[in-house]
Amino acid sequence: MKLTDFDFDLPEELIAQKPAGIRGQDKLMLLGRMDGKVTHLSMDDLPDLISSHTLMIFNNSKVRRSRCYGIKESLKEGQGGREQEFMFLNQMTADLKIWHTMVKGAKKVKPGNRYHFTDGSVGTIVDHENDGGSEFRTIVFDEPLDDDWFARNGHIPLPPYIRREDDDTDSERYQTIYAKETGSSACPTAGLHFTDEMFKKLDAKGIERCFVTLHVGLGTFLPVRTENIEDHKMHEEVYSIPFDVAEKINKAKKEGRPILAVGTTSVRTLESAADENGFVKGGSGSTHIFMYPGYKFKCVDQIFTNFHTPQSTLLMLVSAFAGRENILNAYSQAVEKKYHFFSYGDCMLIK
């Protein structure tokens, strides 16, 4: 399939630049997976759309303040260095001193360069690579980069289509209320719509929920740059499924209960861990799974998700689940009805 098969026209004003005034006060589109029927609702309607025997799966990964700025150490005394933006993706050693990063305007970020960060810590570039048009660097520190380090030096890693600097609102709103396991470089944004009040309503209906973890990295949001989508290579992401959660999922599958994955990262986790019968294996693993039309889903029966960017692997994933024509028709209606798109936008339930 061609990359252009997953394009659509999106007015820039529909790209949400800020979260809704109140968390959870968002538009909700219901899309029929098989027939493509579209119904326009609101997030308040969600409990009525989910049967009581459904098992909901959420990704509890927590966003790290992973966008950091360093000043290049100058070899000439008294000469100020250039500011460089780093996106810290994942640690490469257990001692938290060596990190894989993505850099902006990276041509001058060479091995041996040293960068001073806000708190005075210094990192040294030791390697670089080009991958699919994005540039990466390995950076080494003398001290471990723990959560306190990122709190001192980091910014919320808002995606590039949000054309502003992060602020205090983002510290709360670009994080799900159930975020627990730190490690993501982007938020699993479908979960942003859920509130304590919504969980109480789901509980009152007897709807069971469980949590898995997938740390969002380049595997989720790196652009597709190949004309034929089959040639695109996904980056690896780390996930974990607690053994008791795996037991609950497998029990639900045996009983014929629907599995509702909240967010594409939950989908990626479940499908990566599932065997051909849809039963999942507990524990930790890594995945570079790429789902596009033709993929046969093994575990997931329903998906709750945001509206995704044109030509993205996430748009391809939901197209694999509900059909490309159904998805593109639904997106056309979303544009007509002025839904908001992407991370801080509105949501869709596919069932």
Side-chain angles (χ1 to χ4, degrees):
M1 301 188 76
K2 301 296 185 183
L3 183 59
T4 52
D5 292 335
F6 298 91
D7 203 5
F8 63 93
D9 293 325
L10 178 66
E12 189 168 346
E13 63 267 21
L14 297 185
I15 301 174
Q17 297 296 306
K18 292 184 178 182
I22 300 174
R23 188 190 289 265
Q25 296 300 300
D26 308 294
K27 293 180 181 178
L28 169 64
M29 175 184 288
L30 174 64
L31 173 63
R33 181 183 181 185
M34 304 308 296
D35 61 11
K37 181 181 178 181
V38 170
T39 308
H40 302 287
L41 302 164
S42 72
M43 188 64 188
D44 287 340
D45 296 308
L46 183 65
D48 295 331
L49 304 177
I50 304 174
S51 63
S52 59
H53 61 295
T54 301
L55 177 60
M56 299 182 72
I57 306 296
F58 295 78
N59 179 12
N60 66 0
S61 182
K62 188 174 183 178
V63 181
R64 178 183 283 123
R65 299 180 71 90
S66 54
R67 184 163 57 91
C68 305
Y69 295 91
I71 301 296
K72 182 182 176 184
E73 188 176 276
S74 177
L75 297 178
K76 297 181 180 180
E77 186 175 351
Q79 182 174 318
R82 184 172 69 95
E83 183 178 73
Q84 178 64 50
E85 179 179 326
F86 293 86
M87 176 72 80
F88 284 76
L89 298 174
N90 56 275
Q91 68 216 45
M92 301 182 70
T93 54
D95 63 6
L96 304 180
K97 294 181 180 180
I98 304 178
W99 288 75
H100 189 219
T101 68
M102 183 169 65
V103 293
K104 252 189 174 181
K107 291 182 179 179
K108 295 184 178 180
V109 183
K110 300 177 180 179
N113 286 5
R114 288 164 55 84
Y115 292 88
H116 293 252
F117 291 82
T118 304
D119 68 348
S121 56
V122 180
T124 304
I125 304 297
V126 295
D127 193 14
H128 71 275
E129 60 178 300
N130 294 322
D131 191 340
S134 296
E135 296 192 15
F136 304 87
R137 299 292 184 269
T138 300
I139 186 167
V140 178
F141 291 79
D142 291 332
E143 61 179 275
L145 272 56
D146 55 16
D147 288 347
D148 289 338
W149 188 92
F150 285 101
R152 295 192 302 271
N153 295 278
H155 293 259
I156 299 296
L158 295 177
Y161 47 74
I162 295 181
R163 304 184 188 281
R164 60 178 177 81
E165 291 299 311
D166 61 304
D167 57 29
D168 291 341
T169 299
D170 298 307
S171 296
E172 175 196 0
R173 296 296 299 275
Y174 195 67
Q175 200 81 266
T176 64
I177 64 167
Y178 49 82
K180 181 179 179 182
E181 306 294 339
T182 301
S184 279
S185 299
C187 183
T189 53
L192 294 178
H193 302 280
F194 289 84
T195 63
D196 289 330
E197 182 181 359
M198 175 57 67
F199 278 160
K200 290 177 182 177
K201 291 179 179 178
L202 296 172
D203 290 341
K205 196 171 178 180
I207 298 169
E208 187 178 10
R209 63 178 174 272
C210 293
F211 298 91
V212 299
T213 304
L214 181 140
H215 293 313
V216 187
L218 292 180
T220 295
F221 63 81
L222 191 68
V224 178
R225 295 189 175 91
T226 58
E227 182 180 356
N228 297 311
I229 66 170
E230 295 88 348
D231 296 331
H232 177 69
K233 303 299 181 185
M234 296 288 284
H235 280 254
E236 197 168 71
E237 294 172 312
V238 176
Y239 70 85
S240 65
I241 301 177
F243 290 103
D244 64 325
V245 170
E247 290 178 2
K248 291 178 180 179
I249 294 169
N250 293 337
K251 182 175 183 289
K253 294 301 291 185
K254 290 177 183 177
E255 295 172 348
R257 297 164 55 200
I259 305 297
L260 197 173
V262 176
T264 55
T265 56
S266 296
V267 176
R268 287 169 55 76
T269 301
L270 296 176
E271 292 296 312
S272 297
D275 65 17
E276 291 304 314
N277 296 312
F279 298 115
V280 302
K281 180 180 179 181
S284 298
S286 60
T287 181
H288 48 76
I289 191 171
F290 181 20
M291 288 170 272
Y292 54 86
Y295 177 84
K296 303 300 182 184
F297 286 80
K298 300 169 291 187
C299 182
V300 174
D301 303 299
Q302 302 173 12
I303 297 177
F304 179 93
T305 184
N306 279 18
F307 291 88
H308 304 295
T309 56
Q311 300 187 352
S312 65
T313 61
L314 304 182
L315 182 63
M316 295 168 194
L317 185 157
V318 294
S319 295
F321 190 73
R324 187 181 72 92
E325 293 78 10
N326 287 345
I327 289 293
L328 292 180
N329 175 63
Y331 274 45
S332 177
Q333 292 194 44
V335 169
E336 182 182 350
K337 296 289 186 179
K338 298 191 182 303
Y339 281 65
H340 287 112
F341 280 67
F342 311 159
S343 294
Y344 277 145
D346 295 308
C347 49
M348 169 188 284
L349 175 64
I350 309 173
K351 58 177 290 191

